[in-house]
C-alpha cells in the first residue's frame, strides 16, 4: 500500500503530532479534539467506524502503514514543509487546531512546541520566540492568513472571521 501525502493528510499529521495517543494511531484531548479527529479520519477513509476505538479522553485505530507514514512525515517535517504551500499551511493549521491559540493579549501561540517547530516557523518567515513555555508567533497576521483556509477547530473564531472578510 503506497500512501501519498496530501494537504488533508498533512492537516491530520499536524493535529496528531501534538495530541497522540499511546495506543494505535489516535489522539487524546477534549471532546472537540476527539470529534474532529474521528470525523476527519472517517471522511478521508483511513479507517471505518467499526474499527475506531474510543475511550474517555482518547480515540484511536490500528493501522501499521498509516502509523509508520505519520511518523516518517513527522521526522521529515523540516524538509517536507519548507515551502509556503497548501501542504505547509494545512500542517500548521493542524498543529494550531491541536495546541495553538490566541491568548487574552492577542498573542498567537503554539503550546507543547519543540525546537523543530521553531525552526519550521522561522524558515517559513513567520518568526517565533519562546515565552512562558509557549512558542509565540512574531508575525501573527501573516501566520493566521496563511492557515485560515485549513483551520477547522478555530474556524468560527472572531479573528478568523475578520481575516476572511479581508480586515
Amino acid at each position: 500500500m503506497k500512501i501519498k501525502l496530501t494537504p488533508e493528510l498533512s492537516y491530520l499529521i499536524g493535529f496528531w503530532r501534538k495530541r497522540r495517543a499511546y495506543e494505535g494511531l489516535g489522539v487524546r484531548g477534549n471532546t472537540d479534539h476527539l470529534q474532529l479527529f474521528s470525523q476527519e479520519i472517517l471522511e478521508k477513509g483511513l479507517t471505518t467506524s467499526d474499527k475506531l476505538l474510543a475511550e474517555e479522553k482518547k480515540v484511536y485505530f490500528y493501522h501499521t502503514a498509516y502509523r509508520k507514514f505519520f511518523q516518517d512525515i513527522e521526522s521529515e517535517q523540516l524538509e517536507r514543509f519548507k515551502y509556503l504551500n497548501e501542504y505547509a499551511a494545512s500542517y500548521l493549521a493542524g498543529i494550531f487546531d491541536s495546541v495553538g491559540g490566541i491568548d487574552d493579549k492577542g498573542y498567537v501561540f503554539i503550546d507543547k512546541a519543540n525546537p523543530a517547530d521553531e525552526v519550521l516557523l522561522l524558515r517559513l518567515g513567520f518568526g517565533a520566540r519562546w515565552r512562558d513555555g509557549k512558542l509565540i508567533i512574531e508575525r501573527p497576521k501573516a501566520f493566521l492568513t496563511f492557515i485560515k483556509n485549513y483551520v477547522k477547530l478555530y474556524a468560527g473564531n472572531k479573528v478568523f472571521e475578520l481575516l476572511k472578510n479581508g480586515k
Side-chain angles (χ1 to χ4, degrees), residues 139-153:
R139 294 186 53 219
K141 189 171 182 182
F143 176 78
L144 294 174
T145 301
F146 182 61
I147 67 170
K148 73 180 180 186
N149 295 329
Y150 302 95
V151 171
K152 296 175 173 47
L153 198 59

Side-chain angles (χ1 to χ4, degrees), residues 81-89 92 123-126 146:
F81 305 112
K82 62 184 177 182
Y83 301 111
L84 292 170
N85 58 24
E86 62 184 349
Y87 293 89
L92 289 173
R123 282 185 180 175
L124 291 174
F126 298 117
F146 182 61

Side-chain angles (χ1 to χ4, degrees), residues 1-154:
M1 176 176 163
K2 179 75 174 155
I3 303 170
K4 186 177 181 326
L5 185 64
T6 63
E8 293 81 16
L9 277 179
S10 296
Y11 175 87
L12 276 171
I13 293 167
F15 190 83
W16 162 82
R17 220 181 124 220
K18 300 295 184 181
R19 295 203 161 270
R20 75 178 68 171
Y22 298 109
E23 300 86 359
L25 183 60
V27 297
R28 50 193 163 79
N30 65 32
T31 308
D32 292 339
H33 293 112
L34 302 180
Q35 284 178 345
L36 177 63
F37 185 78
S38 301
Q39 177 183 341
E40 289 296 311
I41 61 169
L42 292 173
E43 282 178 9
K44 306 301 179 268
L46 272 62
T47 192
T48 57
S49 59
D50 60 320
K51 293 183 180 177
L52 188 61
L53 305 168
E55 293 180 15
E56 186 177 338
K57 294 200 180 251
K58 62 186 164 191
V59 62
Y60 58 96
F61 65 101
Y62 290 101
H63 197 294
T64 308
Y66 275 118
R67 184 174 176 97
K68 172 101 172 79
F69 182 74
F70 276 40
Q71 290 169 338
D72 289 346
I73 298 298
E74 176 190 17
S75 66
E76 301 167 359
Q77 73 169 342
L78 293 176
E79 284 302 310
R80 293 278 188 155
F81 305 112
K82 62 184 177 182
Y83 301 111
L84 292 170
N85 58 24
E86 62 184 349
Y87 293 89
S90 58
Y91 180 74
L92 289 173
I95 291 175
F96 186 78
D97 276 347
S98 180
V99 293
I102 304 168
D103 69 9
D104 298 338
K105 296 178 183 175
Y107 290 115
V108 177
F109 66 89
I110 294 175
D111 202 5
K112 301 179 184 174
N114 60 27
D117 298 327
E118 180 181 19
V119 170
L120 180 65
L121 289 167
L122 290 171
R123 282 185 180 175
L124 291 174
F126 298 117
R129 69 181 188 282
W130 294 97
R131 179 186 218 168
D132 300 328
K134 297 178 182 176
L135 197 56
I136 305 294
I137 295 162
E138 293 179 338
R139 294 186 53 219
K141 189 171 182 182
F143 176 78
L144 294 174
T145 301
F146 182 61
I147 67 170
K148 73 180 180 186
N149 295 329
Y150 302 95
V151 171
K152 296 175 173 47
L153 198 59
Y154 285 97

